[in-house]
Amino acid sequence: MAENYESDGNVIQWTNGTGSAVASGQVVKVGVSMLGVALVAIANGATGSVAVEGVFSGVPKVSAAVFTQGEKLLFDVSAGSGVGAFDDSAATPATGDVMGGAVAWVAGTNTETTCTIKLTPGNSTTT
């Protein structure tokens, strides 16, 4: 193995500076524009494991959002009772929203409040 090998790159250690505790399974912004899913509960100021690759179900979705399988999604940081929620690619981004950090693994329909996404690191931009 190469002497400079670090890891597979699927999980990163992330320090929670959000001001609130993060629940296991919650979507978080890592740095400016990468999305991840907390693998453990992470108290404010603590460090914990966050997946930056993979497929996750039951993540918050804007209820009116409608999207097709494979569609690039917008992560609306202010939706979902303040924890953020995924919206369709036609949504107008606001300050801090992340576009392209995930795609729809399963199509999303009107009135659903959760969805299944695939994280796509390295493909996102932040408004």
Side-chain angles (χ1 to χ4, degrees), residues 11 14 43 75-76 109:
V11 176
W14 174 75
F75 186 68
D76 182 337
T109 60

Side-chain angles (χ1 to χ4, degrees), residues 46-123:
T47 299
S49 298
V50 172
V52 293
E53 293 188 20
V55 176
F56 296 87
S57 62
V59 296
K61 174 190 163 294
V62 173
S63 65
V66 176
F67 44 80
T68 61
Q69 184 179 39
E71 183 174 339
K72 185 185 295 189
L73 299 176
L74 173 75
F75 186 68
D76 182 337
V77 296
S78 62
S81 300
V83 297
F86 287 96
D87 207 338
D88 58 67
S89 61
T92 302
T95 301
D97 290 351
V98 178
M99 175 57 87
V103 296
W105 193 251
V106 175
T109 60
N110 190 21
T111 72
E112 291 177 324
T113 58
T114 63
C115 61
T116 302
I117 55 100
K118 178 177 180 11
L119 295 171
T120 55
N123 295 305

Side-chain angles (χ1 to χ4, degrees), residues 10-15 22-26 28 30 36-42 46-52:
N10 300 329
V11 176
I12 192 168
Q13 294 301 302
W14 174 75
T15 301
V22 167
S24 176
Q26 186 174 332
V28 298
V30 178
V37 175
L39 296 175
V40 295
I42 307 171
T47 299
S49 298
V50 172
V52 293

Side-chain angles (χ1 to χ4, degrees), residues 23-36:
S24 176
Q26 186 174 332
V27 178
V28 298
K29 281 176 66 173
V30 178
V32 176
S33 60
M34 185 164 60
L35 296 178

